[in-house]
């Protein structure tokens, strides 16, 4: 329904004049490479209209149900890792060892699943053989699934398939090399998810910069309807009128984020049905065929359109206040070197380039070409649905740490006592309870 409304809105816009038409053609050419996979604008409309279930079982198997807004009764998550190379399992094995120790993670993780998406055998390395022994140990809630052996394509979307039979409603996703976050940060994320179970919850999030026309539309929507939360905003994407979004990868956004990267993200298991629904096969084909294999943008786009909400972003670092002695922060000492290294707020483009390419198994050695291809994929997906969510509110929304004038969390990463759904000592409040924070308690 939203895509149809947006298509009608785009068709009602005044036609472009000659100069605008030339400029629009240049924009489209700059974000589309003829040899790359692409998706048609508003293609979701025809995809849903033409979809016909082949069997009665297909109807029942893919009877997807939206999650409720809250899941206050949930107490555990399943951690799902995607792996493909047996020679890069050191970080993974260190993290899983901690997750499987109930004394370290306090039983927060019910099960760990490794989705092995590689052609190489885990038997080829010592770490791999250790992990295989874990899977055989009945005392360990750990198992390995092999999509390629079950006939799946080599697809980054395999980690999201409902076939893996996740038993918990909350699923915590990671790449095998992280980054991984501290137990206090992940605990706060789980509590945030309980109160926003019908959204994607993420730690490393990106905002997509709108073009001039869409930016003006968003501003007008805010002013005309007195919108307070970004949750209530959807902006049209009219490719034929020059709309083009820019992939803003210079920093991780807390507010205004339109998508989240997989590592550290949490999804309700009900969303897996939508992500793999047969009607959305054209999107999954696009992910497999495109050189940057944009599974992250795809998941955020589908989930936001199905739920009607942007991703919610949690603070990936959550430290005690400066007044708390370091030796009292026993949980935080397991924050992982990866999280500390990744935690620098302003990373260079080169570092981000290397991180992302590592996950994609793709590297042409040219940052500009990578960025152009990445941006082309983003525009294809946004245009396919014909609109973009208004962006996240951020963990700071409704607190003194939210600078409303520029819509920014300050500080970008929270400390104990700053999160409304956690007590001042960072223990969870009874769900769905939140507390009012009226003044800043700590200097950032």
């Amino acid at each position: 329904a939203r895509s149809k409304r947006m298509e009608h809105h785009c068709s009602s816009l005044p036609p472009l004049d000659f100069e605008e038409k030339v400029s629009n053609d240049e924009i489209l050419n700059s974000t589309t490479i003829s040899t790359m996979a692409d998706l048609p604008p508003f293609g979701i409309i025809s995809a849903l209209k033409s979809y016909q279930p082949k069997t009665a079982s297909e109807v029942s198997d893919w009877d997807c149900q939206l999650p409720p807004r809250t899941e206050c009764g949930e107490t555990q998550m399943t951690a799902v890792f995607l792996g493909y190379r047996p020679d890069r399992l050191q970080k993974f094995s260190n993290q899983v060892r901690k997750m499987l120790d109930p004394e370290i993670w306090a039983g927060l993780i019910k099960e760990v699943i490794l989705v092995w998406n590689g052609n190489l055998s885990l038997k080829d390395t010592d770490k791999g053989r250790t992990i295989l022994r874990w899977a055989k140990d009945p005392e360990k809630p750990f198992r390995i699934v092999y999509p390629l052996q079950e006939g799946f394509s080599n697809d980054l979307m395999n980690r999201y398939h409902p076939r893996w039979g996740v038993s918990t409603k909350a699923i915590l996703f990671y790449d095998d090399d992280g980054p991984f976050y501290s137990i206090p940060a992940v605990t706060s994320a789980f509590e945030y998810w309980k109160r926003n179970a019908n959204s994607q919850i993420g730690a490393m999030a990106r905002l997509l910069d709108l073009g001039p026309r869409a930016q003006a539309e968003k501003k007008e929507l805010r002013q005309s309807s007195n919108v307070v939360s970004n949750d209530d905003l959807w902006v049209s994407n009219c490719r034929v009128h020059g709309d083009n979004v820019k992939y803003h990868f210079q920093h991780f956004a807390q507010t205004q984020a339109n998508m989240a990267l997989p590592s550290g993200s949490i999804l309700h298991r009900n969303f897996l049905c939508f992500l793999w629904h047969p009607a959305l096969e054209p999107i999954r084909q696009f992910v497999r065929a495109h050189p940057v294999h944009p599974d992250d943008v795809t998941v955020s786009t589908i989930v936001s359109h199905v739920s009607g909400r942007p991703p919610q972003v949690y603070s990936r670092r959550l430290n005690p206040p400066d007044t708390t002695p370091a030796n009292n922060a026993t949980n935080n000492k397991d924050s992982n070197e990866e999280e500390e290294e990744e935690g620098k707020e302003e990373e260079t483009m080169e570092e981000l380039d290397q991180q992302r390419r590592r996950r994609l198994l793709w590297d042409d050695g040219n940052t500009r070409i990578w960025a152009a291809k990445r941006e082309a994929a983003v525009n294809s997906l946004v245009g396919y649905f014909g609109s973009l969510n208004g962006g996240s509110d951020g963990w700071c929304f409704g607190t003194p740490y939210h600078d409303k004038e520029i819509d920014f969390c300050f500080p970008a990463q929270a400390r104990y006592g700053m999160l409304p759904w956690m007590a001042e000592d960072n223990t969870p409040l009874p769900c769905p309870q939140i507390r009012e924070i009226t003044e800043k308690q700590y200097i950032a």
Side-chain angles (χ1 to χ4, degrees):
R2 183 185 304 111
S3 292
K4 287 184 177 179
R5 290 198 307 271
M6 295 301 184
E7 184 182 42
H8 177 74
H9 169 71
C10 290
S11 65
S12 69
L13 295 174
L16 301 175
D17 61 29
F18 178 76
E19 290 185 359
E20 289 174 326
K21 179 69 168 61
V22 172
S23 176
N24 180 46
D25 289 343
E26 291 176 351
I27 290 173
L28 291 178
N29 289 335
S30 70
T31 58
T32 304
I33 301 175
S34 60
T35 58
M36 287 198 311
D38 197 11
L39 290 167
F42 296 104
I44 187 64
I45 299 174
S46 59
L48 295 178
K49 186 177 180 179
S50 62
Y51 169 67
Q52 294 291 333
K54 297 180 177 63
T55 63
S57 63
E58 184 174 317
V59 175
S60 59
D61 290 346
W62 299 102
D63 182 20
C64 305
Q65 303 294 320
L66 281 171
R69 174 66 182 250
T70 60
E71 286 284 13
C72 291
E74 293 301 294
T75 59
Q76 291 182 301
M77 296 184 288
T78 297
V80 173
F81 292 79
L82 181 71
Y84 64 93
R85 274 177 48 183
D87 62 341
R88 51 176 263 173
L89 293 171
Q90 181 66 53
K91 293 179 181 179
F92 164 80
S93 60
N94 288 344
Q95 180 67 12
V96 172
R97 188 178 289 109
K98 295 174 186 177
M99 284 183 164
L100 295 178
D101 188 334
E103 293 186 5
I104 296 178
W105 275 72
L108 184 61
I109 303 300
K110 183 177 182 180
E111 183 183 28
V112 176
I113 301 174
L114 171 61
V115 179
W116 189 249
N117 216 47
N119 291 306
L120 298 177
S121 174
L122 286 166
K123 297 178 182 179
D124 292 344
T125 65
D126 290 339
K127 284 295 178 186
R129 288 187 287 273
T130 298
I131 290 166
L132 288 171
R133 287 195 293 272
W134 290 351
K136 294 179 180 179
D137 186 347
E139 299 298 317
K140 284 184 167 54
F142 174 78
R143 59 189 169 104
I144 307 171
V145 296
Y146 301 91
L148 305 189
Q149 294 180 15
E150 296 191 33
F152 284 68
S153 302
N154 193 341
D155 188 343
L156 293 173
M157 294 291 290
N158 288 344
R159 73 181 99 188
Y160 302 104
H161 203 285
R163 180 183 293 190
W164 314 139
V166 173
S167 61
T168 62
K169 294 180 180 179
I171 309 174
L172 174 64
F173 290 96
Y174 279 116
D175 291 322
D176 59 358
D177 62 344
F180 307 119
Y181 306 118
S182 68
I183 298 170
V186 176
T187 300
S188 75
F190 182 46
E191 292 297 321
Y192 197 26
W193 173 85
K194 288 183 186 181
R195 293 155 173 83
N196 296 276
N198 63 343
S199 294
Q200 181 185 30
I201 307 297
M204 297 191 297
R206 302 292 196 207
L207 64 87
L208 305 176
D209 291 330
L210 299 171
R213 189 209 64 80
Q215 195 67 264
E217 178 180 302
K218 183 176 182 179
K219 183 178 180 181
E220 183 179 350
L221 286 171
R222 276 190 169 281
Q223 293 174 343
S224 62
S225 56
N226 293 318
V227 170
V228 176
S229 168
N230 290 329
D231 258 20
D232 304 321
L233 277 176
W234 282 89
V235 181
S236 64
N237 181 265
C238 307
R239 298 294 302 277
V240 297
H241 281 268
D243 285 355
N244 175 52
V245 299
K246 297 290 185 182
Y247 180 65
H248 198 91
F249 65 96
Q250 281 79 5
H251 77 286
F252 294 117
Q254 292 288 337
T255 58
Q256 306 178 62
N258 308 102
M259 56 161 289
L261 303 186
S263 265
S265 66
I266 305 176
L267 278 179
H268 197 290
R269 72 180 176 198
N270 285 19
F271 283 125
L272 306 185
C273 178
F274 293 98
L275 293 173
W276 272 90
H277 195 284
L280 300 186
E281 177 59 22
I283 302 179
R284 294 190 296 275
Q285 290 177 353
F286 169 77
V287 173
R288 291 192 293 269
H290 199 282
V292 300
H293 311 301
D295 67 306
D296 50 357
V297 191
T298 298
V299 169
S300 291
T301 301
I302 293 174
V303 170
S304 68
H305 277 276
V306 167
S307 67
R309 303 186 67 195
Q312 311 299 312
V313 184
Y314 69 92
S315 179
R316 65 183 183 274
R317 294 200 306 281
L318 189 60
N319 298 320
D322 293 334
T323 55
T324 301
N327 60 5
N328 287 341
T330 54
N331 281 337
N332 248 22
K333 71 179 181 180
D334 286 320
S335 297
N336 281 346
E337 292 179 0
E338 303 99 85
E339 187 261 337
E340 293 172 3
E341 292 171 0
E342 181 276 334
K344 298 174 183 176
E345 198 55 34
E346 296 298 328
E347 288 125 335
T348 66
M349 291 174 62
E350 290 79 11
E351 287 169 337
L352 294 174
D353 179 46
Q354 290 173 0
Q355 290 174 13
R356 184 60 190 162
R357 286 196 310 231
R358 239 184 13 246
R359 290 161 175 76
L360 293 174
L361 314 181
W362 175 83
D363 183 357
D364 69 355
N366 190 312
T367 302
R368 290 184 181 180
I369 293 177
W370 170 83
K373 291 180 178 180
R374 180 82 166 146
E375 194 162 283
V378 170
N379 276 282
S380 288
L381 284 159
V382 174
Y384 189 73
F385 287 88
S387 61
L388 184 65
N389 64 68
S392 59
D393 286 324
W395 64 263
C396 60
F397 186 74
T399 76
Y401 305 102
H402 182 212
D403 188 326
K404 297 180 181 178
E405 188 172 335
I406 60 174
D407 193 10
F408 196 81
C409 293
F410 187 80
Q413 303 299 323
R415 291 185 179 277
Y416 286 17
M418 294 183 178
L419 302 177
W421 58 93
M422 306 291 281
E424 290 189 21
D425 63 354
N426 203 53
T427 55
L429 295 176
C431 180
Q433 181 181 334
I434 60 172
R435 62 190 175 90
E436 184 178 7
I437 303 175
T438 56
E439 60 183 26
K440 295 182 179 181
Q441 300 179 27
Y442 309 110
I443 298 175

